[in-house]
Structure formats: C-alpha cells, structure tokens
Amino acid sequence: MDSKTSNILSLPFRRSVHLSLATTIRQYINAKYDQHPDMFRPDLDTIDTIRNDAINVREPHSSGIKKLQAYAAQLVWIGGKFPIDIGAEFTWYPALGYNTERPMVRNNLKYELMNVLYNLASLYSQLAINTSRSNTEGLKTAANYFSQAAGVLSHMKTSILPELRMSDPPEDMDEHTLESLTQLLLAQSQECFWQKAVMDGMKDALIARLAARVSDLYNLAGESAVRSEAISSAWIHHMTAKHHHFAAAAQYRAACDCLEKRKYGEEVARLQDAVLCVNEGIKETKGGYLNKIVVEDLHALKRKVEEDLKRAEKDNDIIFLNIVPPKSELKILERANMAVARVPKQVSDPYEFFGDKAEFGPALFSRLVPFSVHVAISIYEERRDRMVNQNIVHELENMTDQLHNVLASLGLPGSIQAIEKPLGLPPSLVQHAEEIRQADAVNRIQKSFIDIDKLRAADMAIFEEGVTALAAESDEDQQLRARYGTDRWSRPDGKTEPQGAKLWNQVAEIESYFESSASSDAVVRDKYATTEDLLRILSGSDAGIQNYVPSGGQMDMREELRTAMGKLRSAHSDAIRLDSKRRRKVASLKENAKRDDIKPDILKEAARLERTYPTTTIVPAHFEDFFDKRLDKLYEPEIEALDKDAMEQEQLVTLLERTNREFEAQKQKGSSRANREREQALQRLDSAYYKYKEILNNLDVGRKFYNDLSKIVGQGFRDVAKSWVAQRRMEARALEEELSMPTLSNLNISRNHTPVHNAPPQGMYQQQPQQGYYGGMQQQQGGPVEAAAIQSWAGAGGNVQQPQPMPPVANPMGGMWTPNSGIKFGGGPSQPGSGSGGDGQQQPAQGTWNPTAGIKFG
C-alpha cells in the first residue's frame, strides 16, 4: 500500500550484500579449534542458505517471517559458539536518515543480529499497513502486526543494543531511534483498536479513552524522534499532527458523552478544547510534509467539531444556560491502553524452537565446543599456572635460595671438603663439573641471552607497530581538526574516545612491562658476569680445576674436631637432601600441571549446564565454582605443605649454625693458610654451580615472560589498535563527506528531481509560485518550500526516493564573467521591442551598465 493512500507509516527494509559466512566460520574453526571444519560441512552449507533467504526478504509477505526468525535464532545460538568479532565483515545499508546509500561495515555478529531483527520489525509493520483495515478482522490483524513490530524493536533496544560493543551504533538503530519507532508502532496499533471501536459502535466514553492513549503514544514517539539523527522531519511532523488529531478526537468523543449525559457546559468546554487541538494539528500541514489523507482527516475533524461547537454553544446559550467550565477544571480523560509491545517467542526465546522436528530445525554447530568453554579452559590454565608457579614453586625456590645463602655464608661444603680431602678434587665437585660440561653451560647461557634478546626485539617491534598506528591516527585527527575547526570536527579525539583512551592506557602499561623486564634482564646478566669465569673453569678439564684449587696441608684430626665435623657433615647432608627433594617436587608439580587436562571434565560440566539452563547462554563465569573445587582438590594440599617445609628448613638452619660454630671452634686450633685458601676456592666453585642453576631458572622465566608478552602486544594490543584505527579512519572519511556536502538550500527532497542547472530561465531574485507535492495545488511561500511525502516504503507504488545530496547550483548567468562583458543584473524590465517573438518571456536587458542609471533588481 503506497504511503499516499495510507495515513499510517511502516518501516523500510535495510539492505545487505552477499557474504559467505560459512567461509569465515570454516577459517575460524580451522585456526582456533581442535575440531576439523569438515565435521560441520552440512552446518556450513545451511548457514549461508538461511542468511541468503533472510537478506532477500524484500516484500511484505508472511513467508518472510520464518526466514528472518530462523536466521536470527541461529545467530543467537552461534553467538555462544564463536566470538562476536569472528572475522566476517557484515555490510548493511541504513533504512532511515540521509545516508541510506552509505553502507556500514562491521565485524560484529551482534550487528548482524540487530539488522536482521530490524528487518523483521519492518516486515511486521509492512504486513500491517498492507492489511485491509476496512473491517474489524483486518484491524485486529494489523494491530497485532504493529504490536509484534514494536516488541521486536523493544527487544533490540533492551537485549541486543547493550551487548553490541560498538562505539558508533547505526543512526537508525540507536537508543533514541528505536524508542521513537517503538512508540510509533504502538500508537498505530492503538489507532487500529480505536478505529475498531468506532466501527463497532462502542460508547463515546470508551472511544475517548482509546483516542487519548493514541495521542499519548504519538507524543512519546515525537519526543524521542527529535533526539534521533535518523528520523526525518516529515515523520516528526506526522507524529506531532497525529498527536494533536487524536487529542482533539478524544475531546470530541468526550463531548459527545457529555451531551448524552446532559452535561451541556462541559460539552461546550471540551469541544472548544477539541478545536484548539485540531488547529494545532493543522499547523503541522505547513511546508507540505504531511500525507494528503492525514491533512484531509484533520480538516474533516475540524469541520465536524466546529459544527458541533456552534450547535452546542447556541443550545446552551438559549436553552440550557449551563456554566462552561475553564479547561483547567475539566477532568483529565482516563486512558484505555490496548497496544502492548509483544516480543514473538521465536525472538525472545529461540532455543525452544530448535530440534530435528522443531520450527527452526537443529541448532547449527551443536557439536562444536562453545567458544565460551575454550575461553574458560584458557582461564583455568592461566589460573592453574599462576597458582603453581607463584603460590607453590616460587615459594619453594625462595626457601631453597635462602638455604643456599645460609650454606654459602657458613662456607659449606668447602670448609669440610678442605679438611677431608686436602689433595685432589672432592667427589661432589667432580660431579658438578661433569654436569656443567655435559650441559655446555657457558654456551647454553649465552645462547639463551641471544634468544631472549630476539624475543624482546620482536615484541618491541610488534608493540611499536601498534603505537605507530595510534600516533598516525592522532596526527590525522589533529590535521582534520585543524582543517575543519573544532566546532565542525565534533567527534572526540582518539585519546578521549573510550576505546582509544583504553589503548593509550595500554601503551603506558606495556611500556612499564618493557622497563621492568629490562631491569630484570640486567640483573641476570650481572649475575652471569660475576660467575662466568668460574663456570668456564668448571667447564674445563679436571686438571684445570685442580690448578685453580690449591692443595691444603695435613691437619691433626683430633677427636673433638672429628666429632664436630661429623655433626656438621650430617646437617649439611640433610640440607642437600632437602634441596634435592624440593627440586624433584618442583619438577613433579610442573609436569603434573602440564598433564592437567581439564577439557573432558569441563565439557561434561558444560553439557550439564546446557541441560539445566537451556535458555541461558554459557559464559566463562558459569565455571567459577567448578574451577575452585578442582584447584582446591589438586593443589591446595601442596600449598598447605609449604608451612611444613618452612618449619623444617628453619630447624635445619638452626642446626647448621650451631654445628658450624662448634666445628669452627675446633678447626681454628689447627688450621693453616693453605687450608683456608683451598676452602675458599672450593666454596667459590660450589657457589658458582648453584648460581648457574639459578641463572638457568631466571632465563626460563624470562623466555616465558616474552612469549606471554608477545600475545599481549600482538593480539591484545596491536591487532586491536589497527582495527580501531581502521574504524576511526572510516568514521573520519564519512564525517569528511558529510562536512563536504552542499548546504540544505541545494538539496532537493521531492519525488521527481528537476536539476537546478536544467531549470527554465528566471530572474535570479524573481519569486515563482511552487507546485505542491500533491496534485496541482500550488503554494506561494516567502521562501522555497520543499515537500516530502510521509513514506511507508511498503506499497506497490513507485519507490519513494530518500533525500540525496545535490550538486551546487549552477551559475545562472550561463558562463564565466569577462572584463569585456560589463556587469549585468538579470531579470530587469523589458525594453520596448525587446520581447521574444510573442512568447511573453522576459529577457535580460542588453548592453553595458551605466552608472547614472542606478541598479535594478528583478
């Protein structure tokens, strides 16, 4: 039904382009999941089919409802399987506003869902406007369609829009636009109930309450529309006119009820208010924005109300003589609301319609592990590794370092070895030297330093790539701001825009990571520098080590010395055993953590959650209790054992210090300088061995740090920054195009354009009557008035053209001015005999301007 033959509006469809969503999903499964994409070949074929069916719904036919609902339901379902930014660039053209030929492209599943649901609401509204409203059954059907359209838009506003994760939602689907359209559709649904009540001959009091509610809803729609960037002036005038129309209709029906109840004074007062309301509505007809039928309805109502007012005033003045109350004393009309935003069950709860024999068929990719489960697995593994490494391993290594520091401060085991074996090399030292030679310790450490430098350089390059992109965006924005001025270039700069501010904060955070890591790297290098010479000695031959370790003299092994040394040797052996036990425990913990595969158990938990809460989308937070129980069961005993280890070490250190004091007291009685030098050399080599172990551990930690940092600076920062910069550049181009558009005086919004440069010749300042949009009616205004029809986009008539930018007005003088041509002012009075062959058309005066003749316009 064409908008020219209807007094209500419908929503136009949004347009999309073909996209192989299956290709994107296949690539994502192949890259991110451990399941092969070929397992889901039927699902991949189906998703493309149902998308094509949905985006090709372009006509108001009821068969399109299921196509749109089915695709929307599958989008909701796969939203739990894949991330919102899966990698598909969805392209959609706006339906309302002045940018309907400028598509918006976004990598966002929720954006796709919003567009599909919007088209579903559009379809419902177009089905309503194409339903015959000449009988009560048709009115009930139309009201139901309008209520469902309003329900879909309301669902979009409350459930989908908050999860859209877009800083710039489409203008025709932002909060204000959705609210306005929802109230508009509810108003039209209520209007159908009002019309049905009139058709059924209901009482005037009920019809008045229904009309008052229609007026309220149109008013709410208009209030939200003025805050929208997409709803046209024509639609706003339409809403305002209908608001006043139904306010007048409500008062008129209330007056009829007063007449029936013999309240003649109140009847006159309400008719007077009805006249005021309808006159306000008629004011909206100026400018030619309103639909012809809406205008006719207003004038018809005005005639009827004025006739009844004239009759009522005459009867009251001559016969009834009732006091006419002022408007302030009139009782406010009650409202009878019949229109309710009803969300179709297929939209609000799509999971109920999945199944082999259900309306939407089986849910696609049901065998694919939900994306949220993969996220949950990553969260668990990160939490597990943090618990094992920081809460357990780190504590054990700290205690071991403390023990080694105590041994080194006591000169153990060098003081014992120098006495027990004054010549040659102690067996433990030979064993340590062999281990270092087998590991090629020096080259291994140097190679690790090179590897870490490469990892750091790669991370830094990735980070600088993201920073460069942000800096380039900032420079471009400042240049454009300087070009257009801060008043016109109104968008926030990159450092204050929420996503941009987050990225710049991330820059400072990552820079602090690099600074702290550089400091840690320097500490490890210094540690190696102080130990390198000793490690090279241990890496050499036994003969070289013997040359480094001087021989000692033979000591008199008195009974007291032998007893004290035996006690100290026993305590030192306990310390070595404790160190060995801890190293095995750390290795075992790390190995067990690697073997801790949570996937089978978490899949069972996910299946349980899906059975228990079938309508709830699974998110990682649902697994928190499951994580806590598993971590407590596997690793809490190890954490509790730390206190026992610390107590055991404390007792051992006390024993070592006591026995060492006794040993030192006995040793002083027979010690020689040679023995002391040998003792110190052996102690340095033993300390170098443990320092080597410590350096290896530091290097492993550094390597892991830079590998983890690579994910942060790559996926977490650079990729996000580049995506954001690309989006900002698209926004900048769009804003530049908008600022470069011609002024409104050069825009033609009428149905059939007549290009300015093809217009018939006129005087530049001569006012010509304009032909109205409807029929041959002409209007003469003080300035040009551009009429626009109230557009429904639903009928079989010609497509109503959206407002388009027009080229600048062509030069009416017909060419470039030259000094030889003089100055001419077109449209002057015709000179005698200068007419053109009898057609009566006025020609510009010829010749060069004479200063004594003055200046004439028109």
Side-chain angles (χ1 to χ4, degrees):
M1 184 178 295
D2 198 302
S3 61
K4 292 182 64 175
T5 62
S6 175
N7 61 351
I8 54 179
L9 304 176
S10 65
L11 307 183
F13 286 114
R14 293 174 68 85
R15 294 183 295 114
S16 184
V17 298
H18 175 73
L19 167 74
S20 179
L21 185 53
T23 301
T24 303
I25 294 176
R26 172 183 287 275
Q27 292 172 350
Y28 194 88
I29 293 175
N30 192 51
K32 301 292 184 179
Y33 291 77
D34 56 359
Q35 295 168 277
H36 198 278
D38 287 344
M39 295 172 57
F40 309 100
R41 187 173 298 169
D43 295 342
L44 293 168
D45 294 340
T46 302
I47 194 67
D48 272 352
T49 300
I50 63 174
R51 184 181 193 273
N52 289 333
D53 290 344
I55 66 172
N56 287 322
V57 174
R58 307 290 299 156
E59 298 293 334
H61 194 279
S62 58
S63 62
I65 295 175
K66 183 177 178 181
K67 294 176 182 178
L68 290 166
Q69 287 179 345
Y71 181 49
Q74 294 290 359
L75 285 174
V76 173
W77 170 257
I78 67 175
K81 300 283 186 179
F82 301 103
I84 189 171
D85 52 346
I86 188 173
E89 298 290 340
F90 297 106
T91 302
W92 286 90
Y93 289 82
L96 300 175
Y98 299 96
N99 297 310
T100 57
E101 296 304 317
R102 183 186 298 163
M104 177 177 278
V105 183
R106 292 293 182 271
N107 171 21
N108 190 313
L109 282 174
K110 293 290 184 183
Y111 172 67
E112 172 87 342
L113 177 60
M114 283 278 285
N115 282 279
V116 174
L117 290 178
Y118 182 94
N119 274 1
L120 178 60
S122 300
L123 178 59
Y124 279 130
S125 70
Q126 294 188 27
L127 288 171
I129 205 173
N130 280 273
T131 300
S132 173
R133 301 191 304 281
S134 60
N135 56 71
T136 57
E137 286 302 315
L139 286 169
K140 287 169 60 178
T141 301
N144 181 54
Y145 278 139
F146 279 131
S147 292
Q148 291 186 88
V152 173
L153 293 180
S154 177
H155 176 75
M156 291 166 57
K157 176 174 170 284
T158 57
S159 300
I160 311 299
L161 187 60
E163 299 178 357
L164 191 57
R165 299 186 196 172
M166 285 174 59
S167 59
D168 59 336
E171 288 182 350
D172 55 346
M173 292 196 297
D174 65 5
E175 184 176 0
H176 296 308
T177 305
L178 291 177
E179 177 64 20
S180 176
L181 296 179
T182 300
Q183 298 301 329
L184 171 65
L185 294 166
L186 287 174
Q188 296 183 162
S189 176
Q190 180 81 5
E191 185 175 345
C192 291
F193 285 107
W194 167 84
Q195 190 174 349
K196 181 178 181 298
V198 173
M199 194 176 292
D200 290 343
M202 296 290 184
K203 291 185 177 181
D204 289 318
L206 174 60
I207 296 175
R209 293 198 297 271
L210 289 169
R213 181 57 179 162
V214 176
S215 176
D216 292 344
L217 290 168
Y218 274 118
N219 185 48
L220 292 173
E223 287 178 351
S224 295
V226 297
R227 295 193 292 271
S228 167
E229 298 290 335
I231 297 181
S232 66
S233 297
W235 281 36
I236 295 174
H237 283 289
H238 174 90
M239 297 170 190
T240 307
K242 298 279 273 190
H243 159 60
H244 293 304
H245 179 136
F246 279 94
Q251 290 290 31
Y252 171 73
R253 287 289 179 170
C256 293
D257 183 62
C258 290
L259 175 62
E260 184 180 348
K261 295 176 179 178
R262 300 182 180 181
K263 298 178 181 179
Y264 303 111
E266 184 178 342
E267 177 198 9
V268 172
R270 290 196 181 276
L271 286 171
Q272 289 173 344
D273 190 53
V275 171
L276 294 175
C277 291
V278 77
N279 284 335
E280 288 296 319
I282 289 175
K283 288 181 182 178
E284 300 296 323
T285 64
K286 296 179 180 179
Y289 289 107
L290 293 186
N291 178 289
K292 184 178 181 180
I293 294 180
V294 175
V295 175
E296 291 174 353
D297 288 346
L298 282 167
H299 285 289
L301 178 60
K302 180 180 180 180
R303 289 192 297 271
K304 178 63 176 172
V305 172
E306 287 179 340
E307 289 173 4
D308 280 22
L309 176 60
K310 184 177 180 182
R311 184 265 312 153
E313 287 178 333
K314 181 179 180 182
D315 290 349
N316 191 54
D317 292 343
I318 297 176
I319 303 173
F320 306 115
L321 304 177
N322 285 2
I323 297 175
V324 178
K327 180 178 178 180
S328 59
E329 295 182 7
L330 291 176
K331 182 182 177 181
I332 296 176
L333 295 177
E334 296 180 0
R335 269 58 173 168
N337 185 56
M338 298 297 293
V340 179
R342 294 194 305 104
V343 187
K345 195 74 172 174
Q346 292 90 338
V347 174
S348 62
D349 194 7
Y351 298 104
E352 291 189 5
F353 298 86
F354 287 129
D356 292 337
K357 297 182 180 179
E359 183 176 349
F360 297 156
L364 301 180
F365 307 101
S366 56
R367 292 179 297 161
L368 185 68
V369 178
F371 177 75
S372 58
V373 174
H374 284 268
V375 174
I377 291 174
S378 300
I379 292 173
Y380 171 81
E381 290 175 347
E382 180 183 354
R383 193 174 300 177
R384 176 202 63 202
D385 291 344
R386 186 168 62 248
M387 175 179 280
V388 170
N389 292 326
Q390 295 183 7
N391 296 0
I392 304 176
V393 172
H394 183 67
E395 291 298 322
L396 289 173
E397 289 177 345
N398 279 344
M399 287 192 288
T400 301
D401 290 342
Q402 293 171 7
L403 181 60
H404 287 158
N405 290 335
V406 169
L407 293 175
S409 66
L410 298 177
L412 295 174
S415 59
I416 300 176
Q417 293 173 343
I419 296 176
E420 286 185 332
K421 195 172 180 60
L423 299 175
L425 300 177
S428 61
L429 181 59
V430 173
Q431 182 181 351
H432 291 166
E434 183 62 25
E435 181 181 340
I436 286 177
R437 283 194 289 267
Q438 291 292 332
D440 194 11
V442 174
N443 290 332
R444 179 181 179 183
I445 291 175
Q446 291 177 343
K447 185 176 183 300
S448 295
F449 280 134
I450 293 172
D451 292 341
I452 287 176
D453 288 341
K454 289 179 180 178
L455 290 173
R456 178 185 172 85
D459 291 351
M460 183 63 76
I462 295 172
F463 172 64
E464 288 176 349
E465 190 177 345
V467 174
T468 301
L470 292 179
E473 188 281 330
S474 180
D475 291 343
E476 292 167 6
D477 185 73
Q478 291 302 322
Q479 292 172 7
L480 292 169
R481 196 177 304 278
R483 180 187 304 171
Y484 293 102
T486 54
D487 290 339
R488 300 181 70 200
W489 195 260
S490 56
R491 73 168 185 167
D493 64 71
K495 293 187 178 181
T496 57
E497 192 266 346
Q499 179 67 14
K502 181 180 177 182
L503 287 167
W504 280 107
N505 290 336
Q506 203 172 355
V507 169
E509 184 179 352
I510 294 174
E511 284 176 344
S512 69
Y513 293 162
F514 279 111
E515 290 175 3
S516 63
S517 65
S519 175
S520 299
D521 292 347
V523 170
V524 177
R525 289 180 184 276
D526 289 344
K527 193 184 297 184
Y528 172 68
T530 60
T531 315
E532 181 180 4
D533 292 340
L534 293 172
L535 290 178
R536 291 189 180 279
I537 292 172
L538 288 172
S539 300
S541 62
D542 288 348
I545 300 174
Q546 287 180 357
N547 291 335
Y548 177 77
V549 178
S551 299
Q554 192 70 31
M555 285 189 65
D556 181 18
M557 294 295 293
R558 304 182 313 277
E559 184 63 29
E560 294 84 355
L561 176 60
R562 187 178 292 107
T563 302
M565 189 169 62
K567 292 179 181 180
L568 182 57
R569 187 191 305 110
S570 176
H572 179 261
S573 299
D574 291 342
I576 297 301
R577 281 193 294 270
L578 179 60
D579 174 70
S580 179
K581 183 179 74 172
R582 282 182 181 161
R583 292 187 185 281
R584 289 194 302 270
K585 185 174 185 178
V586 167
S588 176
L589 278 169
K590 290 182 177 179
E591 188 63 31
N592 289 339
K594 288 181 181 178
R595 290 200 302 263
D596 180 14
D597 184 8
I598 195 178
K599 186 175 180 180
D601 292 335
I602 204 172
L603 288 177
K604 293 178 183 177
E605 179 67 9
R608 185 190 70 79
L609 290 172
E610 287 181 337
R611 289 193 304 270
T612 307
Y613 309 103
T615 62
T616 303
T617 301
I618 295 178
V619 296
H622 291 155
F623 298 97
E624 286 296 327
D625 291 341
F626 175 72
F627 291 164
D628 291 341
K629 291 177 181 177
R630 185 181 181 92
L631 291 172
D632 288 347
K633 177 182 176 182
L634 294 178
Y635 303 106
E636 192 62 30
E638 300 293 344
I639 295 176
E640 293 174 354
L642 291 174
D643 292 336
K644 182 180 177 182
D645 269 15
M647 187 179 297
E648 181 181 354
Q649 177 167 312
E650 186 177 350
Q651 294 173 352
L652 181 57
V653 168
T654 302
L655 177 61
L656 282 167
E657 290 174 343
R658 189 183 73 248
T659 55
N660 187 69
R661 284 195 300 270
E662 296 174 358
F663 172 71
E664 287 294 329
Q666 295 297 326
K667 187 180 69 169
Q668 291 297 332
K669 297 178 181 179
S671 178
S672 64
R673 179 179 177 182
N675 286 340
R676 285 195 298 272
E677 291 177 352
R678 179 176 175 83
E679 175 186 334
Q680 292 170 359
L682 292 172
Q683 187 60 42
R684 284 195 296 269
L685 292 175
D686 190 75
S687 297
Y689 168 77
Y690 287 107
K691 192 66 70 175
Y692 159 71
K693 291 288 191 180
E694 187 178 332
I695 291 171
L696 287 184
N697 184 59
N698 294 152
L699 292 172
D700 288 340
V701 171
R703 191 180 293 108
K704 184 178 186 304
F705 170 81
Y706 286 115
N707 283 326
D708 293 342
L709 186 60
S710 175
K711 297 177 183 177
I712 295 174
V713 298
Q715 300 174 4
F717 171 69
R718 180 197 60 184
D719 296 349
V720 177
K722 283 188 169 183
S723 175
W724 177 78
V725 168
Q727 181 178 334
R728 289 273 293 181
R729 284 173 175 159
M730 288 176 60
E731 293 173 2
R733 285 196 294 271
L735 185 54
E736 274 196 287
E737 291 175 8
E738 183 177 334
L739 294 177
S740 302
M741 287 174 64
T743 59
L744 290 176
S745 61
N746 294 331
L747 294 179
N748 189 333
I749 312 179
S750 61
R751 179 187 296 267
N752 296 317
H753 294 292
T754 302
V756 177
H757 55 273
N758 291 335
Q762 305 179 23
M764 283 193 64
Y765 299 95
Q766 184 175 357
Q767 178 65 45
Q768 295 289 341
Q770 284 194 326
Q771 182 168 345
Y773 188 91
Y774 301 107
M777 180 179 64
Q778 293 185 338
Q779 305 174 6
Q780 185 166 349
Q781 306 288 345
V785 177
E786 296 175 338
I790 303 300
Q791 303 167 1
S792 75
W793 289 272
N799 293 331
V800 180
Q801 187 166 356
Q802 288 283 331
Q804 298 293 330
M806 295 294 296
V809 179
N811 183 3
M813 303 304 293
M816 181 179 294
W817 175 79
T818 61
N820 297 329
S821 64
I823 301 175
K824 300 178 183 179
F825 296 86
S830 300
Q831 301 296 325
S834 63
S836 58
D839 63 0
Q841 185 173 359
Q842 199 171 11
Q843 296 294 333
Q846 303 295 322
T848 304
W849 173 62
N850 184 358
T852 63
I855 301 175
K856 299 177 182 180
F857 297 89

